[in-house]
mmCIF file of all heavy atoms in Angstrom:
data_model
loop_
_atom_site.group_PDB
_atom_site.id
_atom_site.type_symbol
_atom_site.label_atom_id
_atom_site.label_comp_id
_atom_site.label_asym_id
_atom_site.label_seq_id
_atom_site.Cartn_x
_atom_site.Cartn_y
_atom_site.Cartn_z
ATOM 1 N N GLN B 15 -19.705 -8.650 4.916
ATOM 2 C CA GLN B 15 -20.820 -9.606 4.842
ATOM 3 C C GLN B 15 -22.094 -8.900 4.415
ATOM 4 O O GLN B 15 -22.813 -9.364 3.537
ATOM 5 C CB GLN B 15 -21.042 -10.246 6.217
ATOM 6 C CG GLN B 15 -20.037 -11.335 6.558
ATOM 7 C CD GLN B 15 -20.155 -11.765 8.004
ATOM 8 O OE1 GLN B 15 -21.134 -11.454 8.669
ATOM 9 N NE2 GLN B 15 -19.155 -12.484 8.479
ATOM 10 N N ALA B 16 -22.314 -7.720 5.023
ATOM 11 C CA ALA B 16 -23.531 -6.970 4.726
ATOM 12 C C ALA B 16 -23.583 -6.566 3.261
ATOM 13 O O ALA B 16 -24.610 -6.715 2.599
ATOM 14 C CB ALA B 16 -23.593 -5.735 5.620
ATOM 15 N N GLN B 17 -22.447 -6.094 2.721
ATOM 16 C CA GLN B 17 -22.502 -5.588 1.357
ATOM 17 C C GLN B 17 -22.509 -6.699 0.329
ATOM 18 O O GLN B 17 -23.032 -6.547 -0.764
ATOM 19 C CB GLN B 17 -21.374 -4.591 1.110
ATOM 20 C CG GLN B 17 -20.063 -5.179 0.705
ATOM 21 C CD GLN B 17 -19.006 -4.089 0.739
ATOM 22 O OE1 GLN B 17 -18.923 -3.303 1.655
ATOM 23 N NE2 GLN B 17 -18.203 -4.058 -0.275
ATOM 24 N N GLN B 18 -21.952 -7.873 0.682
ATOM 25 C CA GLN B 18 -22.013 -8.998 -0.239
ATOM 26 C C GLN B 18 -23.438 -9.523 -0.331
ATOM 27 O O GLN B 18 -23.831 -10.071 -1.352
ATOM 28 C CB GLN B 18 -21.060 -10.105 0.204
ATOM 29 C CG GLN B 18 -19.648 -9.875 -0.330
ATOM 30 C CD GLN B 18 -18.637 -10.808 0.277
ATOM 31 O OE1 GLN B 18 -19.004 -11.720 0.996
ATOM 32 N NE2 GLN B 18 -17.382 -10.577 -0.025
ATOM 33 N N GLY B 19 -24.195 -9.363 0.737
ATOM 34 C CA GLY B 19 -25.596 -9.757 0.707
ATOM 35 C C GLY B 19 -26.390 -8.884 -0.248
ATOM 36 O O GLY B 19 -27.352 -9.341 -0.841
ATOM 37 N N VAL B 20 -25.945 -7.640 -0.416
ATOM 38 C CA VAL B 20 -26.691 -6.707 -1.255
ATOM 39 C C VAL B 20 -26.295 -6.818 -2.722
ATOM 40 O O VAL B 20 -27.123 -6.953 -3.603
ATOM 41 C CB VAL B 20 -26.486 -5.257 -0.757
ATOM 42 C CG1 VAL B 20 -27.275 -4.298 -1.620
ATOM 43 C CG2 VAL B 20 -26.907 -5.135 0.691
ATOM 44 N N LYS B 21 -24.985 -6.809 -2.985
ATOM 45 C CA LYS B 21 -24.514 -6.712 -4.353
ATOM 46 C C LYS B 21 -23.279 -7.559 -4.584
ATOM 47 O O LYS B 21 -22.759 -8.193 -3.663
ATOM 48 C CB LYS B 21 -24.164 -5.248 -4.670
ATOM 49 C CG LYS B 21 -25.314 -4.448 -5.291
ATOM 50 C CD LYS B 21 -24.820 -3.060 -5.614
ATOM 51 C CE LYS B 21 -25.947 -2.177 -6.141
ATOM 52 N NZ LYS B 21 -25.473 -0.822 -6.347
ATOM 53 N N GLY B 22 -22.760 -7.518 -5.823
ATOM 54 C CA GLY B 22 -21.470 -8.150 -6.123
ATOM 55 C C GLY B 22 -20.357 -7.354 -5.476
ATOM 56 O O GLY B 22 -20.590 -6.357 -4.821
ATOM 57 N N GLN B 23 -19.108 -7.807 -5.717
ATOM 58 C CA GLN B 23 -18.012 -7.191 -4.974
ATOM 59 C C GLN B 23 -17.444 -5.943 -5.639
ATOM 60 O O GLN B 23 -17.071 -4.998 -4.953
ATOM 61 C CB GLN B 23 -16.884 -8.208 -4.801
ATOM 62 C CG GLN B 23 -17.334 -9.427 -4.015
ATOM 63 C CD GLN B 23 -16.294 -10.499 -4.037
ATOM 64 O OE1 GLN B 23 -15.311 -10.408 -4.753
ATOM 65 N NE2 GLN B 23 -16.524 -11.547 -3.274
ATOM 66 N N ALA B 24 -17.363 -5.965 -6.965
ATOM 67 C CA ALA B 24 -16.531 -4.973 -7.647
ATOM 68 C C ALA B 24 -17.117 -3.560 -7.669
ATOM 69 O O ALA B 24 -16.388 -2.605 -7.884
ATOM 70 C CB ALA B 24 -16.248 -5.419 -9.070
ATOM 71 N N THR B 25 -18.438 -3.460 -7.474
ATOM 72 C CA THR B 25 -19.039 -2.135 -7.617
ATOM 73 C C THR B 25 -18.590 -1.208 -6.495
ATOM 74 O O THR B 25 -18.616 -1.584 -5.331
ATOM 75 C CB THR B 25 -20.580 -2.228 -7.580
ATOM 76 O OG1 THR B 25 -20.925 -3.110 -6.512
ATOM 77 C CG2 THR B 25 -21.137 -2.724 -8.875
ATOM 78 N N PRO B 26 -18.148 0.013 -6.857
ATOM 79 C CA PRO B 26 -17.763 0.944 -5.812
ATOM 80 C C PRO B 26 -18.991 1.467 -5.074
ATOM 81 O O PRO B 26 -19.999 1.800 -5.693
ATOM 82 C CB PRO B 26 -17.062 2.071 -6.580
ATOM 83 C CG PRO B 26 -17.563 1.979 -7.966
ATOM 84 C CD PRO B 26 -18.013 0.575 -8.192
ATOM 85 N N SER B 27 -18.925 1.474 -3.778
ATOM 86 C CA SER B 27 -20.053 1.943 -2.989
ATOM 87 C C SER B 27 -19.513 2.602 -1.733
ATOM 88 O O SER B 27 -18.362 2.381 -1.369
ATOM 89 C CB SER B 27 -20.946 0.762 -2.605
ATOM 90 O OG SER B 27 -20.246 -0.076 -1.721
ATOM 91 N N PRO B 28 -20.341 3.420 -1.080
ATOM 92 C CA PRO B 28 -19.875 4.018 0.170
ATOM 93 C C PRO B 28 -19.433 2.962 1.175
ATOM 94 O O PRO B 28 -18.449 3.162 1.901
ATOM 95 C CB PRO B 28 -21.103 4.773 0.674
ATOM 96 C CG PRO B 28 -21.912 5.038 -0.528
ATOM 97 C CD PRO B 28 -21.681 3.882 -1.436
ATOM 98 N N ALA B 29 -20.138 1.830 1.191
ATOM 99 C CA ALA B 29 -19.782 0.775 2.137
ATOM 100 C C ALA B 29 -18.392 0.232 1.848
ATOM 101 O O ALA B 29 -17.588 0.005 2.744
ATOM 102 C CB ALA B 29 -20.805 -0.338 2.078
ATOM 103 N N ARG B 30 -18.118 0.041 0.511
ATOM 104 C CA ARG B 30 -16.803 -0.473 0.098
ATOM 105 C C ARG B 30 -15.706 0.522 0.487
ATOM 106 O O ARG B 30 -14.666 0.155 1.040
ATOM 107 C CB ARG B 30 -16.837 -0.707 -1.412
ATOM 108 C CG ARG B 30 -15.504 -0.812 -2.106
ATOM 109 C CD ARG B 30 -15.331 -2.175 -2.711
ATOM 110 N NE ARG B 30 -14.749 -2.923 -1.719
ATOM 111 C CZ ARG B 30 -14.609 -4.247 -1.510
ATOM 112 N NH1 ARG B 30 -15.017 -5.012 -2.132
ATOM 113 N NH2 ARG B 30 -14.057 -4.845 -0.608
ATOM 114 N N GLU B 31 -15.963 1.797 0.176
ATOM 115 C CA GLU B 31 -14.986 2.842 0.510
ATOM 116 C C GLU B 31 -14.717 2.862 2.010
ATOM 117 O O GLU B 31 -13.575 2.945 2.453
ATOM 118 C CB GLU B 31 -15.510 4.225 0.093
ATOM 119 C CG GLU B 31 -15.882 4.354 -1.363
ATOM 120 C CD GLU B 31 -14.680 4.645 -2.234
ATOM 121 O OE1 GLU B 31 -13.834 5.424 -1.783
ATOM 122 O OE2 GLU B 31 -14.594 4.077 -3.330
ATOM 123 N N PHE B 32 -15.796 2.779 2.767
ATOM 124 C CA PHE B 32 -15.668 2.844 4.216
ATOM 125 C C PHE B 32 -14.911 1.629 4.729
ATOM 126 O O PHE B 32 -14.077 1.728 5.645
ATOM 127 C CB PHE B 32 -17.059 2.933 4.858
ATOM 128 C CG PHE B 32 -17.014 3.268 6.323
ATOM 129 C CD1 PHE B 32 -16.543 4.497 6.751
ATOM 130 C CD2 PHE B 32 -17.440 2.360 7.272
ATOM 131 C CE1 PHE B 32 -16.489 4.812 8.104
ATOM 132 C CE2 PHE B 32 -17.393 2.666 8.628
ATOM 133 C CZ PHE B 32 -16.920 3.899 9.043
#
Side-chain angles (χ1 to χ4, degrees):
Chain B
Q15 282 170 14
Q17 85 190 44
Q18 274 170 7
V20 181
K21 268 183 184 176
Q23 299 171 352
T25 44
S27 67
R30 161 117 271 163
E31 304 277 321
F32 191 66

